[in-house]
Amino acid sequence: MENPALTKPNTANTVELLANERNGCSFSTQAMDNFINGPEWIKMRNTAVAIIRKNPEIFDLTQVYFMDREQLLDKVMQTEAKIAQLLIDNKITHNEAVALSYFLDVSGPYRLHRSMFIPTLERQANDEQKKAFLEPARNYQILGCYAQTEMGHGSNIRGLETTATFVEEDDTFEINSPTLTSTKWWIGGLGLAATHACVMTQLIVKGKHYGLYPVIVPIRDPKTFKPYPGVNVGDIGPKMGFNSVDNGFANFQKVRVPRFNVLQRYINISRTGEVSLFKNVDPRVTYSTMVFVRANIVNNMGRELAKAVTITSRYTAVRKQGWANTTDEVPVLNYDIVQYRLIPLVAKTFAMLGMSHEFYAQYELCKNNIESGDFSLLKEMHAVSCGLKKWCSDTTIYGVDTCRHLCGGHGFSSFAGFSFSFNNLYPNIIWEGDNFVLAQQTARYLIKSALEVTESTGSKSADPTSLLLSRYTPENTMFSWKYSSVSQIANNMDLLLDLLAYRFSYFTHNLAKKIHVENQSWNDSLVEVQALSTVYSEYMICMYFKRHINKLSSANDIYQPLKNLYCVTALSFLLRNTGELYSLSSAAGIDHKFIANLEDELMRAIKLARTQLIPLVDSLGLPDEKLNSSLGRYDGKVYEDYMSRALMEPLNRKDSGTRIRDHLYKEYTGSILHSGKKQSRL
Ligand SMILES: Cc1cc2nc3c(=O)[nH]c(=O)nc-3n(C[C@H](O)[C@H](O)[C@H](O)COP(=O)(O)OP(=O)(O)OC[C@H]3O[C@@H](n4cnc5c(N)ncnc54)[C@H](O)[C@@H]3O)c2cc1C
């Protein structure tokens, strides 16, 4: 369908408005991009975007908004096959493949192969098993998934029912799903694509139960693609979103796999069924893959919120609504309330991306230590990764929704670019540990650490969290901010961080006392547990973000904008729930006036960020292909793109539109219009 409106002038001047926003920027967007995304990511981005642009017949996904599930799977499998081929031909690396999937913005059936199956093998397989499974997995000779969740159990993994029982006679393990509820469920890649599953099982050897261990179970014959005998496998059906992924189910009727298939990096099972656990192995090492996956989620969440804030900043900068004077209408971004809703999200995006560099570095350190037998960092890493996964996914998912709302009615159109990503992102608050459950892991670690600090006997941990808990005991009256004005505090990264550290320490000691002195039950503590996990994670975000910013000289032209974004982040954390600030010890000097002044400081910092908002989001470096959005286009041609996409709607297309309309008219509308009531009452 054509529309003459497209040839008429665009009086909203969106292109000029957006270009003007980019004038007079005080910093280099390229340098900012380099700092916040890192050179490695930028290299991968360049490779990915070049491939997407070189192969539009495969990678142009502008049509996905019109597709049903079958069409979507077909399109996504086409992209997956191409990515796999590029990998097999050594044209791209594994990380570039991950980046390519990210920029395409539509998940496919091989996603879990890359993000869970391969990482599990990397961490939990011994050298021989790596040869047998990891190498073919990397070459796409086998396709895997990660099958942990069952129909009856998700959060409580100890309740999983699938068993792997050693059968000495033929040197195998028998995989069995004893009940309906033991059916593996929700498993990405299993419904359609996987040849193998990494199945989490209750390991039983000679009648003894050893807990949960991963076993590689062949699912479908790669030659015929038929399921192996005893494996009942399928797709779990339509979901609220994420329908381009084949989440599947499987149950196993006494399926035997070689003993070799039990991943044995940290456990050894001999031919005669002797089980040895390697010395000094922390029992949670089996879950170290989850720490890695959570670290990835944390990083991805920043990248996904980057998409939403880029679209929203650009659109609100050109969307005019309301008169400033008799001739000019105001871009909605100039309304304080729009800035107040949007700019803290932009700041948190930078915080997530910035802190991810440092968090990954810490994860790498922890991983390397584990490889040399030192597990001392794992406890804190596990707790931090749980808290950050919860915080980052909550912030991103609800942040994307806020962005959608900020764009008004047009935000509700698929062409805005939010609907698909919101639905696809949403499971991040559920998988890899439901967020409300993960918060408990973080809080348990904190309460235990607080107890160690306050008890006079026993070994004391020297991890950074414990040191802070020792510094800010309930008796402490030394506060670094005590002799500074609110304005000085609000502009000082160290003082803001001290406030955040004090807040989480105070909450921790308080809850530890309730539980250990006043015998408050864990169940009765669950509301406070959520708050504790949040305040701890907010501290961690700022601590890592500051560490990253401090790598810059203060003379660098990107330093001040970053420092301001840090201040917006920290202030919005402190002011998220002012009740929390009022509940702190009066010795800390935080009273009504202090809080009111902090609120003024937050608004001042937001307004400062507004002046360069568009260059800031440009620095996030998202190409139009990732945004797939009329509202967020780099060139500001919002309305032209919007109308062009609407004309592509099948209802409007010449062939399909006529057919659909004729059918509906013939079947329903025509007969209604013409039957009418024999006699009108009027
Ligand atoms: C799109 C999608 C893809 C997935 N992909 C995979 C995959 O590839 N592989 C895989 O193994 N799994 C996968 N999962 C499963 C996912 O990991 C689980 O859904 C998740 O761990 C939550 O478990 P559950 O569904 O059993 O929820 P439940 O544990 O039943 O939770 C139900 C409710 O109870 C609350 N709750 C549970 N326990 C507690 C507690 N102790 N204290 C307080 N509250 C509690 C939760 O907060 C939640 O609100 C996927 C899920 C989704 C939605």
PDB file of all heavy atoms in Angstrom, residues 112 146-149 153-156 185-188 242 247 427 430-434 436-437 440 526, ligand 1:
ATOM      1  N   LEU A 112      20.932 -21.531  23.897  1.00  0.00           N
ATOM      2  CA  LEU A 112      21.361 -22.241  25.102  1.00  0.00           C
ATOM      3  C   LEU A 112      22.566 -23.136  24.842  1.00  0.00           C
ATOM      4  O   LEU A 112      23.332 -23.442  25.743  1.00  0.00           O
ATOM      5  CB  LEU A 112      20.193 -23.062  25.675  1.00  0.00           C
ATOM      6  CG  LEU A 112      19.256 -22.352  26.662  1.00  0.00           C
ATOM      7  CD1 LEU A 112      19.964 -22.110  27.983  1.00  0.00           C
ATOM      8  CD2 LEU A 112      18.711 -21.036  26.144  1.00  0.00           C
ATOM      9  N   TYR A 146      20.666 -27.196  28.352  1.00  0.00           N
ATOM     10  CA  TYR A 146      20.950 -27.391  29.781  1.00  0.00           C
ATOM     11  C   TYR A 146      19.638 -27.712  30.487  1.00  0.00           C
ATOM     12  O   TYR A 146      18.770 -26.843  30.631  1.00  0.00           O
ATOM     13  CB  TYR A 146      21.585 -26.123  30.349  1.00  0.00           C
ATOM     14  CG  TYR A 146      21.973 -26.241  31.804  1.00  0.00           C
ATOM     15  CD1 TYR A 146      23.161 -26.865  32.172  1.00  0.00           C
ATOM     16  CD2 TYR A 146      21.155 -25.727  32.802  1.00  0.00           C
ATOM     17  CE1 TYR A 146      23.521 -26.973  33.506  1.00  0.00           C
ATOM     18  CE2 TYR A 146      21.509 -25.832  34.141  1.00  0.00           C
ATOM     19  CZ  TYR A 146      22.696 -26.456  34.481  1.00  0.00           C
ATOM     20  OH  TYR A 146      23.051 -26.564  35.798  1.00  0.00           O
ATOM     21  N   ALA A 147      19.497 -28.980  30.897  1.00  0.00           N
ATOM     22  CA  ALA A 147      18.200 -29.445  31.407  1.00  0.00           C
ATOM     23  C   ALA A 147      18.244 -29.629  32.916  1.00  0.00           C
ATOM     24  O   ALA A 147      18.596 -30.696  33.413  1.00  0.00           O
ATOM     25  CB  ALA A 147      17.822 -30.751  30.717  1.00  0.00           C
ATOM     26  N   GLN A 148      17.901 -28.589  33.610  1.00  0.00           N
ATOM     27  CA  GLN A 148      17.872 -28.666  35.073  1.00  0.00           C
ATOM     28  C   GLN A 148      16.431 -28.672  35.589  1.00  0.00           C
ATOM     29  O   GLN A 148      16.003 -29.590  36.267  1.00  0.00           O
ATOM     30  CB  GLN A 148      18.632 -27.480  35.661  1.00  0.00           C
ATOM     31  CG  GLN A 148      18.611 -27.454  37.180  1.00  0.00           C
ATOM     32  CD  GLN A 148      19.563 -26.418  37.733  1.00  0.00           C
ATOM     33  OE1 GLN A 148      20.763 -26.516  37.548  1.00  0.00           O
ATOM     34  NE2 GLN A 148      19.024 -25.421  38.397  1.00  0.00           N
ATOM     35  N   THR A 149      15.680 -27.628  35.225  1.00  0.00           N
ATOM     36  CA  THR A 149      14.333 -27.458  35.779  1.00  0.00           C
ATOM     37  C   THR A 149      13.416 -28.620  35.399  1.00  0.00           C
ATOM     38  O   THR A 149      13.487 -29.143  34.290  1.00  0.00           O
ATOM     39  CB  THR A 149      13.732 -26.143  35.238  1.00  0.00           C
ATOM     40  OG1 THR A 149      14.653 -25.105  35.523  1.00  0.00           O
ATOM     41  CG2 THR A 149      12.396 -25.829  35.862  1.00  0.00           C
ATOM     42  N   HIS A 153       9.797 -28.944  40.008  1.00  0.00           N
ATOM     43  CA  HIS A 153      10.782 -28.214  40.803  1.00  0.00           C
ATOM     44  C   HIS A 153      11.652 -27.313  39.948  1.00  0.00           C
ATOM     45  O   HIS A 153      12.177 -27.748  38.927  1.00  0.00           O
ATOM     46  CB  HIS A 153      11.702 -29.172  41.573  1.00  0.00           C
ATOM     47  CG  HIS A 153      11.022 -29.842  42.702  1.00  0.00           C
ATOM     48  ND1 HIS A 153      10.435 -31.069  42.571  1.00  0.00           N
ATOM     49  CD2 HIS A 153      10.808 -29.444  43.983  1.00  0.00           C
ATOM     50  CE1 HIS A 153       9.890 -31.408  43.729  1.00  0.00           C
ATOM     51  NE2 HIS A 153      10.099 -30.443  44.601  1.00  0.00           N
ATOM     52  N   GLY A 154      11.792 -26.067  40.425  1.00  0.00           N
ATOM     53  CA  GLY A 154      12.684 -25.131  39.753  1.00  0.00           C
ATOM     54  C   GLY A 154      13.632 -24.519  40.764  1.00  0.00           C
ATOM     55  O   GLY A 154      14.820 -24.822  40.804  1.00  0.00           O
ATOM     56  N   SER A 155      13.071 -23.689  41.655  1.00  0.00           N
ATOM     57  CA  SER A 155      13.921 -23.010  42.641  1.00  0.00           C
ATOM     58  C   SER A 155      14.585 -24.009  43.581  1.00  0.00           C
ATOM     59  O   SER A 155      15.767 -23.888  43.894  1.00  0.00           O
ATOM     60  CB  SER A 155      13.085 -22.039  43.477  1.00  0.00           C
ATOM     61  OG  SER A 155      12.383 -21.170  42.640  1.00  0.00           O
ATOM     62  N   ASN A 156      13.816 -24.975  44.020  1.00  0.00           N
ATOM     63  CA  ASN A 156      14.363 -25.939  44.980  1.00  0.00           C
ATOM     64  C   ASN A 156      15.030 -27.078  44.222  1.00  0.00           C
ATOM     65  O   ASN A 156      14.452 -28.148  44.022  1.00  0.00           O
ATOM     66  CB  ASN A 156      13.236 -26.462  45.874  1.00  0.00           C
ATOM     67  CG  ASN A 156      13.754 -27.481  46.873  1.00  0.00           C
ATOM     68  OD1 ASN A 156      14.967 -27.558  47.120  1.00  0.00           O
ATOM     69  ND2 ASN A 156      12.858 -28.274  47.421  1.00  0.00           N
ATOM     70  N   TRP A 185      11.540 -29.549  32.014  1.00  0.00           N
ATOM     71  CA  TRP A 185      10.561 -28.613  31.446  1.00  0.00           C
ATOM     72  C   TRP A 185      11.203 -27.237  31.283  1.00  0.00           C
ATOM     73  O   TRP A 185      12.053 -26.884  32.087  1.00  0.00           O
ATOM     74  CB  TRP A 185       9.354 -28.523  32.404  1.00  0.00           C
ATOM     75  CG  TRP A 185       8.090 -28.012  31.763  1.00  0.00           C
ATOM     76  CD1 TRP A 185       7.667 -26.724  31.725  1.00  0.00           C
ATOM     77  CD2 TRP A 185       7.088 -28.777  31.083  1.00  0.00           C
ATOM     78  NE1 TRP A 185       6.460 -26.638  31.063  1.00  0.00           N
ATOM     79  CE2 TRP A 185       6.075 -27.882  30.656  1.00  0.00           C
ATOM     80  CE3 TRP A 185       6.942 -30.134  30.785  1.00  0.00           C
ATOM     81  CZ2 TRP A 185       4.943 -28.281  29.957  1.00  0.00           C
ATOM     82  CZ3 TRP A 185       5.806 -30.533  30.095  1.00  0.00           C
ATOM     83  CH2 TRP A 185       4.824 -29.616  29.686  1.00  0.00           C
ATOM     84  N   TRP A 186      10.830 -26.523  30.318  1.00  0.00           N
ATOM     85  CA  TRP A 186      11.311 -25.161  30.041  1.00  0.00           C
ATOM     86  C   TRP A 186      12.676 -25.127  29.361  1.00  0.00           C
ATOM     87  O   TRP A 186      13.281 -24.068  29.220  1.00  0.00           O
ATOM     88  CB  TRP A 186      11.448 -24.318  31.328  1.00  0.00           C
ATOM     89  CG  TRP A 186      10.183 -23.691  31.796  1.00  0.00           C
ATOM     90  CD1 TRP A 186       9.537 -23.964  32.956  1.00  0.00           C
ATOM     91  CD2 TRP A 186       9.411 -22.682  31.130  1.00  0.00           C
ATOM     92  NE1 TRP A 186       8.396 -23.198  33.051  1.00  0.00           N
ATOM     93  CE2 TRP A 186       8.301 -22.402  31.945  1.00  0.00           C
ATOM     94  CE3 TRP A 186       9.541 -22.004  29.918  1.00  0.00           C
ATOM     95  CZ2 TRP A 186       7.331 -21.464  31.598  1.00  0.00           C
ATOM     96  CZ3 TRP A 186       8.578 -21.068  29.569  1.00  0.00           C
ATOM     97  CH2 TRP A 186       7.494 -20.807  30.405  1.00  0.00           C
ATOM     98  N   ILE A 187      13.173 -26.285  28.926  1.00  0.00           N
ATOM     99  CA  ILE A 187      14.578 -26.351  28.527  1.00  0.00           C
ATOM    100  C   ILE A 187      14.783 -25.739  27.134  1.00  0.00           C
ATOM    101  O   ILE A 187      14.330 -26.295  26.122  1.00  0.00           O
ATOM    102  CB  ILE A 187      15.073 -27.822  28.556  1.00  0.00           C
ATOM    103  CG1 ILE A 187      14.625 -28.516  29.863  1.00  0.00           C
ATOM    104  CG2 ILE A 187      16.572 -27.890  28.339  1.00  0.00           C
ATOM    105  CD1 ILE A 187      15.002 -27.816  31.144  1.00  0.00           C
ATOM    106  N   GLY A 188      15.478 -24.611  27.078  1.00  0.00           N
ATOM    107  CA  GLY A 188      15.709 -23.908  25.810  1.00  0.00           C
ATOM    108  C   GLY A 188      16.558 -24.753  24.874  1.00  0.00           C
ATOM    109  O   GLY A 188      17.599 -25.271  25.264  1.00  0.00           O
ATOM    110  N   PHE A 242       9.411 -14.878  23.866  1.00  0.00           N
ATOM    111  CA  PHE A 242      10.501 -15.834  23.720  1.00  0.00           C
ATOM    112  C   PHE A 242      10.072 -17.004  22.834  1.00  0.00           C
ATOM    113  O   PHE A 242      10.569 -18.116  22.958  1.00  0.00           O
ATOM    114  CB  PHE A 242      10.873 -16.347  25.123  1.00  0.00           C
ATOM    115  CG  PHE A 242      12.337 -16.650  25.286  1.00  0.00           C
ATOM    116  CD1 PHE A 242      13.291 -15.674  25.075  1.00  0.00           C
ATOM    117  CD2 PHE A 242      12.774 -17.907  25.669  1.00  0.00           C
ATOM    118  CE1 PHE A 242      14.638 -15.945  25.234  1.00  0.00           C
ATOM    119  CE2 PHE A 242      14.113 -18.199  25.832  1.00  0.00           C
ATOM    120  CZ  PHE A 242      15.048 -17.206  25.613  1.00  0.00           C
ATOM    121  N   ASN A 247      11.605 -23.829  23.835  1.00  0.00           N
ATOM    122  CA  ASN A 247      11.678 -24.402  25.188  1.00  0.00           C
ATOM    123  C   ASN A 247      10.962 -25.747  25.172  1.00  0.00           C
ATOM    124  O   ASN A 247       9.819 -25.835  24.722  1.00  0.00           O
ATOM    125  CB  ASN A 247      11.039 -23.451  26.203  1.00  0.00           C
ATOM    126  CG  ASN A 247      11.873 -22.200  26.352  1.00  0.00           C
ATOM    127  OD1 ASN A 247      11.647 -21.221  25.667  1.00  0.00           O
ATOM    128  ND2 ASN A 247      12.875 -22.255  27.196  1.00  0.00           N
ATOM    129  N   PRO A 427      11.901 -13.264  31.045  1.00  0.00           N
ATOM    130  CA  PRO A 427      12.291 -14.453  31.828  1.00  0.00           C
ATOM    131  C   PRO A 427      13.582 -14.276  32.624  1.00  0.00           C
ATOM    132  O   PRO A 427      13.870 -15.090  33.499  1.00  0.00           O
ATOM    133  CB  PRO A 427      12.471 -15.546  30.771  1.00  0.00           C
ATOM    134  CG  PRO A 427      11.827 -15.059  29.543  1.00  0.00           C
ATOM    135  CD  PRO A 427      11.760 -13.570  29.605  1.00  0.00           C
ATOM    136  N   ILE A 430      13.264 -14.618  36.145  1.00  0.00           N
ATOM    137  CA  ILE A 430      12.827 -15.929  36.646  1.00  0.00           C
ATOM    138  C   ILE A 430      13.950 -16.960  36.545  1.00  0.00           C
ATOM    139  O   ILE A 430      14.234 -17.684  37.498  1.00  0.00           O
ATOM    140  CB  ILE A 430      11.622 -16.438  35.818  1.00  0.00           C
ATOM    141  CG1 ILE A 430      10.478 -15.428  35.849  1.00  0.00           C
ATOM    142  CG2 ILE A 430      11.154 -17.796  36.319  1.00  0.00           C
ATOM    143  CD1 ILE A 430       9.396 -15.712  34.820  1.00  0.00           C
ATOM    144  N   TRP A 431      14.586 -17.016  35.355  1.00  0.00           N
ATOM    145  CA  TRP A 431      15.557 -18.109  35.168  1.00  0.00           C
ATOM    146  C   TRP A 431      16.874 -17.799  35.873  1.00  0.00           C
ATOM    147  O   TRP A 431      17.098 -16.687  36.328  1.00  0.00           O
ATOM    148  CB  TRP A 431      15.752 -18.440  33.693  1.00  0.00           C
ATOM    149  CG  TRP A 431      16.315 -17.364  32.802  1.00  0.00           C
ATOM    150  CD1 TRP A 431      17.209 -16.385  33.143  1.00  0.00           C
ATOM    151  CD2 TRP A 431      16.010 -17.162  31.423  1.00  0.00           C
ATOM    152  NE1 TRP A 431      17.480 -15.598  32.062  1.00  0.00           N
ATOM    153  CE2 TRP A 431      16.765 -16.048  30.985  1.00  0.00           C
ATOM    154  CE3 TRP A 431      15.200 -17.817  30.501  1.00  0.00           C
ATOM    155  CZ2 TRP A 431      16.721 -15.574  29.685  1.00  0.00           C
ATOM    156  CZ3 TRP A 431      15.158 -17.337  29.204  1.00  0.00           C
ATOM    157  CH2 TRP A 431      15.905 -16.236  28.797  1.00  0.00           C
ATOM    158  N   GLU A 432      17.690 -18.834  35.941  1.00  0.00           N
ATOM    159  CA  GLU A 432      18.948 -18.749  36.703  1.00  0.00           C
ATOM    160  C   GLU A 432      18.674 -18.336  38.137  1.00  0.00           C
ATOM    161  O   GLU A 432      19.442 -17.593  38.744  1.00  0.00           O
ATOM    162  CB  GLU A 432      19.924 -17.766  36.046  1.00  0.00           C
ATOM    163  CG  GLU A 432      20.537 -18.281  34.781  1.00  0.00           C
ATOM    164  CD  GLU A 432      20.922 -19.733  34.900  1.00  0.00           C
ATOM    165  OE1 GLU A 432      21.594 -20.097  35.875  1.00  0.00           O
ATOM    166  OE2 GLU A 432      20.507 -20.516  34.026  1.00  0.00           O
ATOM    167  N   GLY A 433      17.568 -18.814  38.648  1.00  0.00           N
ATOM    168  CA  GLY A 433      17.170 -18.491  40.004  1.00  0.00           C
ATOM    169  C   GLY A 433      16.165 -17.363  39.979  1.00  0.00           C
ATOM    170  O   GLY A 433      16.475 -16.263  39.506  1.00  0.00           O
ATOM    171  N   ASP A 434      14.953 -17.661  40.465  1.00  0.00           N
ATOM    172  CA  ASP A 434      13.935 -16.613  40.570  1.00  0.00           C
ATOM    173  C   ASP A 434      14.488 -15.497  41.460  1.00  0.00           C
ATOM    174  O   ASP A 434      15.133 -15.758  42.483  1.00  0.00           O
ATOM    175  CB  ASP A 434      12.675 -17.219  41.196  1.00  0.00           C
ATOM    176  CG  ASP A 434      11.574 -16.193  41.326  1.00  0.00           C
ATOM    177  OD1 ASP A 434      10.795 -16.064  40.381  1.00  0.00           O
ATOM    178  OD2 ASP A 434      11.522 -15.511  42.377  1.00  0.00           O
ATOM    179  N   PHE A 436      13.354 -13.464  43.634  1.00  0.00           N
ATOM    180  CA  PHE A 436      13.013 -13.417  45.066  1.00  0.00           C
ATOM    181  C   PHE A 436      13.724 -14.520  45.840  1.00  0.00           C
ATOM    182  O   PHE A 436      13.939 -14.403  47.041  1.00  0.00           O
ATOM    183  CB  PHE A 436      11.490 -13.501  45.255  1.00  0.00           C
ATOM    184  CG  PHE A 436      10.806 -12.201  44.935  1.00  0.00           C
ATOM    185  CD1 PHE A 436      10.379 -11.916  43.650  1.00  0.00           C
ATOM    186  CD2 PHE A 436      10.638 -11.239  45.915  1.00  0.00           C
ATOM    187  CE1 PHE A 436       9.782 -10.708  43.342  1.00  0.00           C
ATOM    188  CE2 PHE A 436      10.042 -10.020  45.624  1.00  0.00           C
ATOM    189  CZ  PHE A 436       9.608  -9.753  44.329  1.00  0.00           C
ATOM    190  N   VAL A 437      14.061 -15.583  45.133  1.00  0.00           N
ATOM    191  CA  VAL A 437      14.789 -16.680  45.788  1.00  0.00           C
ATOM    192  C   VAL A 437      16.278 -16.323  45.867  1.00  0.00           C
ATOM    193  O   VAL A 437      16.938 -16.538  46.892  1.00  0.00           O
ATOM    194  CB  VAL A 437      14.555 -18.004  45.022  1.00  0.00           C
ATOM    195  CG1 VAL A 437      15.339 -19.138  45.644  1.00  0.00           C
ATOM    196  CG2 VAL A 437      13.059 -18.337  44.997  1.00  0.00           C
ATOM    197  N   GLN A 440      17.585 -14.285  48.715  1.00  0.00           N
ATOM    198  CA  GLN A 440      17.809 -14.987  49.985  1.00  0.00           C
ATOM    199  C   GLN A 440      19.239 -15.508  50.083  1.00  0.00           C
ATOM    200  O   GLN A 440      19.825 -15.557  51.157  1.00  0.00           O
ATOM    201  CB  GLN A 440      16.822 -16.146  50.113  1.00  0.00           C
ATOM    202  CG  GLN A 440      15.378 -15.678  50.165  1.00  0.00           C
ATOM    203  CD  GLN A 440      14.417 -16.834  50.325  1.00  0.00           C
ATOM    204  OE1 GLN A 440      14.634 -17.714  51.151  1.00  0.00           O
ATOM    205  NE2 GLN A 440      13.355 -16.845  49.544  1.00  0.00           N
ATOM    206  N   LEU A 526      11.568 -12.555  55.412  1.00  0.00           N
ATOM    207  CA  LEU A 526      11.728 -12.529  53.952  1.00  0.00           C
ATOM    208  C   LEU A 526      11.508 -11.161  53.304  1.00  0.00           C
ATOM    209  O   LEU A 526      12.088 -10.872  52.261  1.00  0.00           O
ATOM    210  CB  LEU A 526      10.817 -13.576  53.297  1.00  0.00           C
ATOM    211  CG  LEU A 526      11.311 -15.022  53.459  1.00  0.00           C
ATOM    212  CD1 LEU A 526      10.384 -15.995  52.736  1.00  0.00           C
ATOM    213  CD2 LEU A 526      12.732 -15.192  52.940  1.00  0.00           C
TER     214      LEU A 526
HETATM  215  C1  LIG B   1      11.607 -18.615  29.263  1.00  0.00           C
HETATM  216  C2  LIG B   1      12.237 -19.561  30.229  1.00  0.00           C
HETATM  217  C3  LIG B   1      13.339 -20.303  29.828  1.00  0.00           C
HETATM  218  C4  LIG B   1      13.931 -21.222  30.702  1.00  0.00           C
HETATM  219  N1  LIG B   1      14.992 -21.981  30.267  1.00  0.00           N
HETATM  220  C5  LIG B   1      15.488 -22.954  31.074  1.00  0.00           C
HETATM  221  C6  LIG B   1      16.523 -23.828  30.616  1.00  0.00           C
HETATM  222  O1  LIG B   1      17.019 -23.712  29.489  1.00  0.00           O
HETATM  223  N2  LIG B   1      16.964 -24.805  31.448  1.00  0.00           N
HETATM  224  C7  LIG B   1      16.453 -24.969  32.697  1.00  0.00           C
HETATM  225  O2  LIG B   1      16.890 -25.870  33.388  1.00  0.00           O
HETATM  226  N3  LIG B   1      15.468 -24.158  33.167  1.00  0.00           N
HETATM  227  C8  LIG B   1      14.973 -23.160  32.391  1.00  0.00           C
HETATM  228  N4  LIG B   1      13.967 -22.334  32.853  1.00  0.00           N
HETATM  229  C9  LIG B   1      13.394 -22.578  34.170  1.00  0.00           C
HETATM  230  C10 LIG B   1      13.756 -21.547  35.203  1.00  0.00           C
HETATM  231  O3  LIG B   1      15.103 -21.652  35.550  1.00  0.00           O
HETATM  232  C11 LIG B   1      12.813 -21.726  36.406  1.00  0.00           C
HETATM  233  O4  LIG B   1      11.516 -21.390  35.949  1.00  0.00           O
HETATM  234  C12 LIG B   1      13.211 -20.869  37.584  1.00  0.00           C
HETATM  235  O5  LIG B   1      14.350 -21.393  38.201  1.00  0.00           O
HETATM  236  C13 LIG B   1      12.092 -20.741  38.643  1.00  0.00           C
HETATM  237  O6  LIG B   1      11.676 -21.982  39.068  1.00  0.00           O
HETATM  238  P1  LIG B   1      10.120 -22.380  39.044  1.00  0.00           P
HETATM  239  O7  LIG B   1       9.602 -22.072  37.687  1.00  0.00           O
HETATM  240  O8  LIG B   1      10.020 -23.769  39.506  1.00  0.00           O
HETATM  241  O9  LIG B   1       9.427 -21.418  40.058  1.00  0.00           O
HETATM  242  P2  LIG B   1       9.006 -21.793  41.554  1.00  0.00           P
HETATM  243  O10 LIG B   1      10.226 -22.199  42.277  1.00  0.00           O
HETATM  244  O11 LIG B   1       7.876 -22.733  41.547  1.00  0.00           O
HETATM  245  O12 LIG B   1       8.531 -20.391  42.082  1.00  0.00           O
HETATM  246  C14 LIG B   1       7.138 -19.997  42.195  1.00  0.00           C
HETATM  247  C15 LIG B   1       7.053 -18.794  43.131  1.00  0.00           C
HETATM  248  O13 LIG B   1       7.445 -19.163  44.445  1.00  0.00           O
HETATM  249  C16 LIG B   1       8.463 -18.322  44.944  1.00  0.00           C
HETATM  250  N5  LIG B   1       9.398 -19.153  45.718  1.00  0.00           N
HETATM  251  C17 LIG B   1       9.942 -20.340  45.355  1.00  0.00           C
HETATM  252  N6  LIG B   1      10.755 -20.791  46.323  1.00  0.00           N
HETATM  253  C18 LIG B   1      10.744 -19.889  47.306  1.00  0.00           C
HETATM  254  C19 LIG B   1      11.401 -19.776  48.562  1.00  0.00           C
HETATM  255  N7  LIG B   1      12.275 -20.692  48.987  1.00  0.00           N
HETATM  256  N8  LIG B   1      11.165 -18.682  49.311  1.00  0.00           N
HETATM  257  C20 LIG B   1      10.315 -17.733  48.879  1.00  0.00           C
HETATM  258  N9  LIG B   1       9.673 -17.769  47.701  1.00  0.00           N
HETATM  259  C21 LIG B   1       9.875 -18.835  46.922  1.00  0.00           C
HETATM  260  C22 LIG B   1       9.135 -17.724  43.702  1.00  0.00           C
HETATM  261  O14 LIG B   1       9.674 -16.437  43.979  1.00  0.00           O
HETATM  262  C23 LIG B   1       7.969 -17.648  42.716  1.00  0.00           C
HETATM  263  O15 LIG B   1       7.294 -16.440  42.876  1.00  0.00           O
HETATM  264  C24 LIG B   1      13.402 -21.382  32.006  1.00  0.00           C
HETATM  265  C25 LIG B   1      12.306 -20.602  32.414  1.00  0.00           C
HETATM  266  C26 LIG B   1      11.734 -19.700  31.549  1.00  0.00           C
HETATM  267  C27 LIG B   1      10.550 -18.894  32.010  1.00  0.00           C
END
